[in-house]
Every structure is written in structure tokens, then in C-alpha cells.
């Protein structure tokens, strides 16, 4: 298959990915490994959104809602809040499945209609779910309202808790590194799945729908169900990352699931290159490290101008918005374009 | 019964504002079949510009009605320019692009507008000076405040004006022609680019007025206020039948009433399980309901896609 890496490169990449957390930990400390962990989580989210936006060409503006569903599913069923402590291997698939069913619920009324409706309905859903999370603490306390759910059980695989330091052959493996490997596993699985999907019958049907829905329908594709499948599949990636997030963070609250997060994930996909796995990974890594760079920008303003004129979080969103606009105008195929996408956009 | 009438009055006020914003969505949709996601942010910018001007002028001791008038005019001017810029930057270059592209630029642009507004006006709430005397008309158990009266009457006048413009004038005819078939309209001598730009400008002017009404009604404004408002106004436009002007007006009024009545009665209906903090959910339920059962909306005609 074209696009597959040579064995030598594959080996090198594998070594790099294995060594990366240790090297980062030694050179920059736990904090940066944590950033790596989050970068991987965002890669997973961006890959999920890529199925919806990149493969099927549907715009989901409330993707973070599915992330929230997964996170709360894990948080509520593995914490002292209800005094339930379900294991990881039940909760992660359950979160993914739950998110997918929300996707189906949301997609069913809208996916038969024009694409714009899906965009605005998902935009609304992203906000609505936050209203529910914030308010479902009275009269029956389900979500614990704005305070969120805390003391969530750490990720644990069988007897191995990833929430504690392990000693292996004289090495100390800190928590952030444990988690790194779990997340890496998730990301690799997602990449494998995405690749297989892209070139499968379903993937080709999605491409047909994306390029011309009416033509695809007249060729006998049942477009609504195919779109629904893409939407649910993307949502399930979101639910899975939500579960991982909750277990890693040990705490979830409605604040983590704002429109800004959805926009950030969308920005990762658009910036990297819609429909191209390598591009999406690149976009996700770049944009999840960006806030750290911007934090430095805050300090720089303080030093140069005497005060912080543009607050870093504000600047971050401003850049995301600008990136979305500029990418669409100047380089709609993204930094690392998918080959098919480039042909579509530059019409040959 | 009093609660019912009172919520009806509140709902109609809110509905008039939704209707004005919904007109902006529906006009743009009618003419180029796309949803202008940045429209809600235009409302926000209009509201905050007007607030600033009014605060400034009344601080200088200018008479209040004059300050308000100038505030509204300033807001309309800024928003019209903004509408023009949005059309030029986000939509015109992408008219031939795949469908996803203008949707993404529009959401990007609305994020940019929000953040720029946060930079200019800060993240706090701006308050509207007490302008209209807090007169109210008590009628039975129902209280109608002066500001509610002004909002409903003014919105009614503006909408009537818009309908006359679209139905009776040459400009309106050009707009309708462009909406029906831009290529043919162009052959008949209509400058469709200009008409599209003008549609954005007109929608933005309405948005500015609506923005001022919102801050006058709730007394506060904030850089995030455009988001929910935009979503609700869009719902109103879909409810009435997107692309249909009287539909947007009807949809706006209906949505306002549904929301007010819903917020007033939800506690009683659900045994206090859900309270009025769920009021923002109603618009969303209405949107989903319309899309499931009657996607063409109340007055809409066709929603079939063109090949």
C-alpha cells in the first residue's frame, strides 16, 4: 500500500515514541510529560473528529459534548460519588458506546437534511449538555453540578494501577509515563482503525458523499445511514478519550467541556489537513503544545511592555479563529494534505 | 392566568428581538443558501458599541434620548461595516468552494469577533444606564414595562418596513430575483454581488438594533452574549421556514413565547425536577422537533437541494 513507511523508518519511529517520555522526563520534568499525555489525548480526539469532518465531510461543532459524555460516564461509575468502582475495561467501551448513541440520537433528525443543520445542531448540543451537567445536581444529585466529580479512580489495568510509580529493572516509571503508554496504545489503535476505515468500502462511500452527496445517493449509497455511521464512529472516539481523560485527571467538571475545546479540536483537524491521518496528528500535537508557548508569550509581554495586554487564553482562541479563517481561504487542504483532498480542492 | 399572560407579554418582547435577528439569518440564507454563523456575534458587537457610546455621551451630560439615538446609529454603522467585511472575507472568496469551507470560516470568524470583543470590552459585564423611566402599565395582574412596549412596537415597525422594501421596491425585486436564480438575475442586469453584500449589510443593521434591544431589556451586555442569541434566532428562522421573511418573524415570536411559557411552567410541570435554569434548552428542543417533524418550517416551501 502506498504511504506505508519503510521498515527502517517504522523501527526508528517506534524507538522514538518509546524513548520520548523518558527523555522528556529527564530533560524537562514531569510537567512536560503531562503535556505529551494531553497531546496524545488530543490526537485521539482529533482523529475521531477527522472521521466526521475529514472523511464524511460533515461539520460537527460540538464534538466536545461526546468527550464530556465519556468523561462523565467514567467519572460517575468509578468514584466515591455513587460509591461505584467499575473497572476500566467496562467503562471505556461503555463510554464510547454511550457517546456513539448520543451521536445517533443527534444525527438521526439532522443527517437527512442539509449539512448546515448538523453544524448548528451540534453547536447547540455542545452547550445544552453543559447546561445539564451544571444543573443536574438538584433535586437528585446526579452530576454534582458545577463542582464536578472528583476523586475518580485512577486508570488501572488488572492489578496494574497507572496512578502510582512502578519500578521496572531498576527504573522508576512515573505516573505520567504509565499514562503516556496507555494513551499511545489508544492513539495507535485509532490510527490503525482510521487507516482501515479510510480504504474500506465504507471509507470510499464517505469520500463519495463528501464530494457530491446527490451523485453518491444516485449511485445507490444510502447516504443517511452512512453519514450516521461516520458521526457515531467519530463520537465513539470522543467518548473513549473522555474516559481516559477522567481517569487520568481524577476530576471532571462542566468547565472542561466548552465550545472553545470543540473549536480547538476542529482547528487541529483543519490546520493539519482534513482527511489525512498524519496531518491531523501533526495539527493536534502542534496545537496542544501551543498554549505552553503562549504562556511564555504572556511573560514576554510583561517584560517588554510592562503589562500583559493580551491574556494568553484570549490570544489562543484568537489564533484558533484566525487559523480557521486563513486556512480555509489560503490552504484549505491543511499543512499536510490528503492526496485526494488536494485534488478535490484544486480541481484537476 | 396572570402568570400565563405575564409570560406571554415577556415572551412577545423576547420574540420580537429573536425575530429581528432571525431575519438576518433568513435573508442571507434565502439569497445564497448558507448559514451565517457569525451573525450572533454581529448582534453582540452592535450591543456593546451602543452601550459604550451611550455610557460615554450620557457621562458628558448629553440628554439621554439623544445619547441612545446616537448609540443605536453608531451600532448600526459599525455592524453594517462588519457585515460587509464578513461577506468579503469569509463568503465571497468561497462561493465556489466545497460546502464545508464557508461553514468553517464562519465559525472561525465568530470566534475572532468574540475574542476581539473580549480584548476591547473586557470579560466583565457592561451595564446599560437607566434610560427609559421605569414606567410600567399594570393591567389586571399583568405588568408591561415601557421598555417592553418600545421593543415590540419598534420591532414591528422595522419588520413592516423590511417587508415593504422587499415586496414593493426595485431593490427588493432585485433581491428576490437573486434569491431565485442568481445567474438569470445577473443576465437581467442585476448586480448580484452588490445585492448579496447589501443583504449582509441590511441583516447586520437589524442585528445592531436587536443588540441594543437586548441590552436595554436585560440591562447587561457581555462578549459572549451573541452565541445563545444567535442559536435561538437561527432556531426561530428554521421554525418559520428558513429563507422566508414572514416566517422568521412568526418563528421569532413563537419561539419567544414558547421559551417564556416554558420557563414559567417547567417547575410545575416536572414537579420541580427541572427549573427555569433549563430555559435555554427549549429553543434547542424546538429546533430538533422542527427538523424531525417539519424541516421546511411553518411557512417555508421547499428545502430540496439543487443539483
Amino acid at each position: 500500500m502506498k504511504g506505508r513507511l519503510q521498515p527502517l523508518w517504522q523501527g526508528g519511529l517506534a524507538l522514538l515514541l518509546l524513548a520520548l517520555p523518558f527523555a522528556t522526563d529527564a530533560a524537562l520534568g514531569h510537567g512536560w510529560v503531562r503535556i505529551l499525555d494531553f497531546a496524545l489525548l488530543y490526537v485521539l480526539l482529533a482523529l475521531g473528529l477527522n472521521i466526521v469532518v475529514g472523511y464524511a465531510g460533515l461539520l460537527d461543532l460540538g464534538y466536545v459534548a461526546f468527550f464530556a459524555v465519556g468523561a462523565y460516564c467514567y467519572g460517575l461509575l468509578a468514584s466515591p460519588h455513587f460509591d461505584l468502582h467499575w473497572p476500566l475495561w467496562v467503562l471505556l467501551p461503555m463510554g464510547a458506546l454511550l457517546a456513539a448513541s448520543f451521536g445517533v440520537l443527534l444525527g438521526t433528525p439532522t443527517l437527512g437534511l442539509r449539512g448546515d443543520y448538523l453544524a448548528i445542531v451540534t453547536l447547540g448540543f455542545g452547550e445544552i449538555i453543559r447546561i445539564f451537567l451544571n444543573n443536574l445536581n438538584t433535586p437528585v444529585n446526579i452530576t454534582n453540578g458545577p463542582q464536578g466529580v472528583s476523586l475518580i479512580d485512577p486508570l488501572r489495568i488488572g492489578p496494574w494501577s497507572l496512578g502510582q510509580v512502578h519500578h521496572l529493572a531498576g527504573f522508576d516509571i512515573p505516573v505520567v509515563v504509565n499514562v503516556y503508554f496507555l494513551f499511545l496504545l489508544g492513539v495507535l489503535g485509532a490510527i490503525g482503525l482510521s487507516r482501515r476505515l479510510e480504504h474500506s468500502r465504507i471509507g470510499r462511500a464517505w469520500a463519495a458523499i463528501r464530494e457530491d452527496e446527490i451523485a453518491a445517493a444516485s449511485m445507490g449509497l444510502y447516504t443517511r445511514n452512512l453519514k450516521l455511521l461516520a458521526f457515531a464512529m467519530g463520537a465513539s472516539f470522543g467518548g473513549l478519550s473522555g474516559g481516559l481523560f477522567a481517569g487520568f485527571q481524577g476530576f471532571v467538571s462542566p468547565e472542561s467541556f466548552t465550545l472553545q475545546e470543540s473549536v480547538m479540536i476542529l482547528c487541529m483537524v483543519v490546520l493539519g489537513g482534513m482527511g489525512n491521518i498524519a496531518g491531523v496528528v501533526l495539527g493536534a500535537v502542534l496545537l496542544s503544545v501551543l498554549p505552553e508557548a503562549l504562556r511564555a508569550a504572556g511573560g514576554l509581554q510583561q517584560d517588554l511592555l510592562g503589562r500583559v495586554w493580551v491574556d494568553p487564553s484570549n490570544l489562543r482562541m484568537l489564533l484558533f479563529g484566525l487559523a480557521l479563517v486563513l486556512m480555509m481561504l489560503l490552504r484549505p487542504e491543511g499543512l499536510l494534505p490528503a492526496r485526494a483532498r488536494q485534488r478535490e480542492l484544486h480541481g484537476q | 392566568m396572570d402568570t400565563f399572560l405575564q409570560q406571554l407579554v415577556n415572551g412577545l418582547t423576547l420574540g420580537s428581538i429573536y425575530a429581528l435577528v432571525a431575519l438576518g439569518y433568513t435573508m442571507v440564507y434565502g439569497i445564497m443558501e448558507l448559514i451565517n454563523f457569525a451573525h450572533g456575534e454581529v448582534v453582540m458587537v452592535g450591543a456593546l458599541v451602543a452601550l459604550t457610546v451611550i455610557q460615554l455621551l450620557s457621562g458628558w451630560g448629553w440628554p439621554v434620548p439623544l445619547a441612545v439615538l446616537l448609540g443605536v446609529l453608531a451600532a448600526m454603522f459599525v455592524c453594517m461595516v462588519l457585515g460587509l467585511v464578513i461577506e468579503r472575507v469569509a463568503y465571497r472568496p468561497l462561493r465556489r468552494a466545497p460546502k464545508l469551507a464557508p461553514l468553517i470560516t464562519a465559525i472561525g470568524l465568530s470566534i475572532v469577533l468574540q475574542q476581539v470583543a473580549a480584548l476591547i470590552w473586557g470579560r466583565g459585564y457592561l451595564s446599560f444606564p437607566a434610560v427609559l423611566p421605569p414606567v410600567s402599565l399594570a393591567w389586571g395582574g399583568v405588568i408591561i414595562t415601557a421598555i417592553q412596549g418600545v421593543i415590540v412596537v419598534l420591532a414591528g415597525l422595522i419588520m413592516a418596513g423590511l417587508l415593504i422594501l422587499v415586496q414593493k421596491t426595485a431593490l427588493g425585486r432585485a433581491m428576490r430575483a437573486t434569491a431565485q436564480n442568481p445567474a438569470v438575475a445577473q443576465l437581467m442586469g442585476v448586480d448580484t454581488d452588490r445585492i448579496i453584500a447589501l443583504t449582509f449589510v441590511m441583516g447586520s443593521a437589524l442585528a445592531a438594533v436587536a443588540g441594543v434591544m437586548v441590552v436595554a431589556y436585560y440591562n447587561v451586555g457581555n462578549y459572549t452574549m451573541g452565541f445563545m442569541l444567535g442559536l435561538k434566532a437561527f432556531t426561530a428562522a428554521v421554525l418559520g421556514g428558513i429563507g422566508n421573511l414572514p416566517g422568521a418573524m412568526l418563528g421569532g415570536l413563537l419561539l419567544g413565547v414558547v421559551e417564556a411559557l416554558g420557563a414559567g411552567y417547567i417547575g410545575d410541570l416536572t414537579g420541580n425536577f427541572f427549573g427555569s435554569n433549563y430555559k435555554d434548552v427549549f429553543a434547542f428542543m424546538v429546533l430538533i422537533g422542527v427538523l424531525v417533524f417539519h424541516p421546511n418550517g411553518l411557512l417555508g416551501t421547499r428545502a430540496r437541494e439543487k443539483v
Side-chain angles (χ1 to χ4, degrees):
Chain A
M1 193 192 304
K2 244 186 179 175
R4 207 179 258 292
L5 296 174
Q6 298 296 317
L8 189 66
W9 283 104
Q10 276 180 356
L13 193 64
L15 266 181
L16 182 72
L17 286 175
L18 280 178
L20 188 63
F22 295 106
T24 315
D25 193 25
L28 299 163
H30 284 359
W32 273 94
V33 187
R34 210 182 149 72
I35 293 169
L36 276 186
D37 294 346
F38 273 105
L40 285 175
L41 209 56
Y42 276 118
V43 171
L44 197 55
L45 282 167
L47 284 170
L49 187 62
N50 181 47
I51 294 181
V52 184
V53 178
Y55 292 168
L58 306 165
L59 188 55
D60 181 348
L61 292 177
Y63 189 65
V64 79
F66 303 124
F67 186 53
V69 168
Y72 266 85
C73 173
Y74 190 103
L76 291 175
L77 298 179
S79 73
H81 182 62
F82 288 137
D83 208 17
L84 291 172
H85 299 278
W86 292 19
L88 179 94
W89 54 268
V90 174
L91 287 177
L92 289 184
M94 197 170 136
L97 213 63
L98 199 65
S101 9
F102 270 95
V104 171
L105 269 181
L106 209 58
T108 309
T110 41
L111 284 173
L113 307 167
R114 285 177 47 101
D116 330 27
Y117 285 121
L118 180 74
I120 204 134
V121 166
T122 49
L123 187 66
F125 180 64
E127 283 305 288
I128 300 305
I129 198 147
R130 227 153 40 88
I131 295 180
F132 276 99
L133 293 178
N134 258 323
N135 292 308
L136 275 180
N137 53 346
T138 53
V140 185
N141 188 357
I142 301 174
T143 62
N144 208 23
Q147 284 90 35
V149 183
S150 50
L151 295 174
I152 298 172
D153 301 346
L155 299 162
R156 166 188 284 279
I157 302 171
W160 270 60
S161 169
L162 301 185
Q164 65 192 55
V165 181
H166 288 283
H167 305 281
L168 197 72
F171 276 112
D172 276 355
I173 306 182
V175 177
V176 280
V177 176
N178 292 330
V179 173
Y180 171 90
F181 286 114
L182 179 66
F183 287 6
L184 186 64
L185 207 67
V187 165
L188 292 178
I191 290 179
L193 189 62
S194 296
R195 282 185 80 118
R196 303 294 299 199
L197 270 176
E198 189 182 352
H199 299 289
S200 70
R201 202 182 156 79
I202 296 173
R204 294 194 306 272
W206 284 338
I209 291 174
R210 177 183 76 211
E211 287 183 38
D212 191 334
E213 194 175 333
I214 296 171
S218 27
M219 290 318 221
L221 292 176
Y222 192 2
T223 56
R224 203 193 72 166
N225 280 8
L226 281 163
K227 288 197 281 182
L228 207 53
L229 185 65
F231 198 61
M233 195 89 88
S236 70
F237 277 44
L240 178 68
S241 350
L244 292 173
F245 171 75
F248 177 36
Q249 189 86 335
F251 168 72
V252 288
S253 79
E255 257 173 66
S256 313
F257 310 107
T258 56
L259 172 69
Q260 313 213 332
E261 290 289 312
S262 295
V263 170
M264 174 156 151
I265 302 165
L266 178 67
C267 204
M268 291 168 175
V269 176
V270 170
L271 185 78
M274 284 182 275
N276 184 24
I277 295 170
V280 170
V281 172
L282 176 76
V285 172
L286 277 182
L287 290 193
S288 44
V289 178
L290 179 79
E292 303 310 312
L294 290 181
R295 201 159 296 157
L300 203 67
Q301 287 180 51
Q302 184 84 56
D303 292 344
L304 291 178
L305 305 167
R307 59 170 275 209
V308 179
W309 289 91
V310 181
D311 160 55
S313 76
N314 200 314
L315 185 63
R316 182 172 69 117
M317 284 316 289
L318 192 63
L319 289 179
F320 288 165
L322 278 177
L324 286 177
V325 176
L326 293 178
M327 289 305 286
M328 277 299 114
L329 293 179
L330 305 175
R331 198 177 158 87
E333 67 273 27
L335 294 177
L336 281 184
R339 233 171 277 126
R341 199 37 97 92
Q342 193 152 26
R343 278 200 304 273
E344 272 166 53
L345 288 164
H346 294 285
Q348 355 160 333
Chain B
M1 197 59 197
D2 282 353
T3 326
F4 178 78
L5 287 177
Q6 184 66 59
Q7 291 297 348
L8 200 63
V9 170
N10 296 347
L12 286 176
T13 315
L14 211 54
S16 318
I17 300 175
Y18 292 160
L20 281 184
V21 185
L23 281 172
Y25 280 106
T26 233
M27 280 163 69
V28 167
Y29 187 90
I31 221 155
M32 49 197 296
E33 296 205 339
L34 69 86
I35 297 170
N36 179 11
F37 274 108
H39 193 60
E41 308 311 325
V42 177
V43 180
M44 176 270 295
V45 170
L48 296 187
V49 166
L51 269 180
T52 312
V53 172
I54 294 170
Q55 276 177 349
L56 199 71
L57 293 184
S58 51
W60 291 346
W62 289 37
V64 170
L66 185 65
V68 173
L69 185 68
L70 286 176
V72 174
L73 289 178
M76 285 174 77
F77 176 74
V78 171
C79 286
M80 283 157 95
V81 172
L82 195 60
L84 206 61
V85 171
I86 290 175
E87 198 266 334
R88 269 296 157 85
V89 171
Y91 295 112
R92 188 171 296 187
L94 294 173
R95 255 182 233 163
R96 303 248 158 264
K99 263 206 297 200
L100 205 57
L103 289 178
I104 293 179
T105 41
I107 190 78
L109 211 57
S110 69
I111 298 291
V112 170
L113 286 177
Q114 250 185 46
Q115 295 305 318
V116 169
L119 282 183
I120 298 177
W121 287 286
R123 287 168 179 268
Y125 285 83
L126 279 80
S127 60
F128 195 78
V131 173
L132 284 173
V135 199
S136 50
L137 189 69
W139 189 45
V142 182
I143 297 163
I144 304 173
T145 61
I147 190 81
Q148 286 181 320
V150 172
I151 289 176
V152 173
V153 170
L154 192 61
L157 287 177
I158 292 174
M159 290 190 270
L162 185 73
L163 274 186
I164 292 171
L165 178 85
V166 172
Q167 296 300 333
K168 303 285 180 201
T169 64
L171 174 65
R173 196 161 62 232
M175 287 173 73
R176 281 178 289 137
T178 310
Q180 262 183 15
N181 190 331
V184 175
Q186 201 154 22
L187 290 176
M188 297 298 135
V190 176
D191 183 352
T192 50
D193 274 350
R194 205 178 62 103
I195 295 295
I196 290 175
L198 215 61
T199 307
F200 270 85
V201 168
M202 277 164 58
S204 302
L206 295 180
V209 177
V212 182
M213 286 178 175
V214 176
V215 283
Y217 190 43
Y218 288 119
N219 284 319
V220 286
N222 174 260
Y223 77 105
T224 55
M225 63 184 275
F227 178 73
M228 254 309 161
L229 194 67
L231 206 61
K232 288 178 183 171
F234 174 78
T235 303
V238 173
L239 176 61
I242 194 146
N244 182 305
L245 294 187
M249 302 173 194
L250 180 67
L253 291 177
L254 265 179
L255 186 69
V257 171
V258 166
E259 203 179 290
L261 290 180
Y265 285 103
I266 183 172
D268 296 343
L269 287 177
T270 61
N272 283 324
F273 191 86
F274 292 117
S276 58
N277 36 9
Y278 287 95
K279 77 177 171 55
D280 288 342
V281 177
F282 291 111
F284 188 68
M285 308 272 252
V286 168
L287 178 61
I288 297 276
V290 174
L291 291 181
V292 173
F293 296 111
H294 200 66
N296 292 350
L298 297 173
L299 303 183
T301 43
R302 90 204 131 88
R304 195 161 290 273
E305 270 181 84
K306 290 184 209 162
V307 179

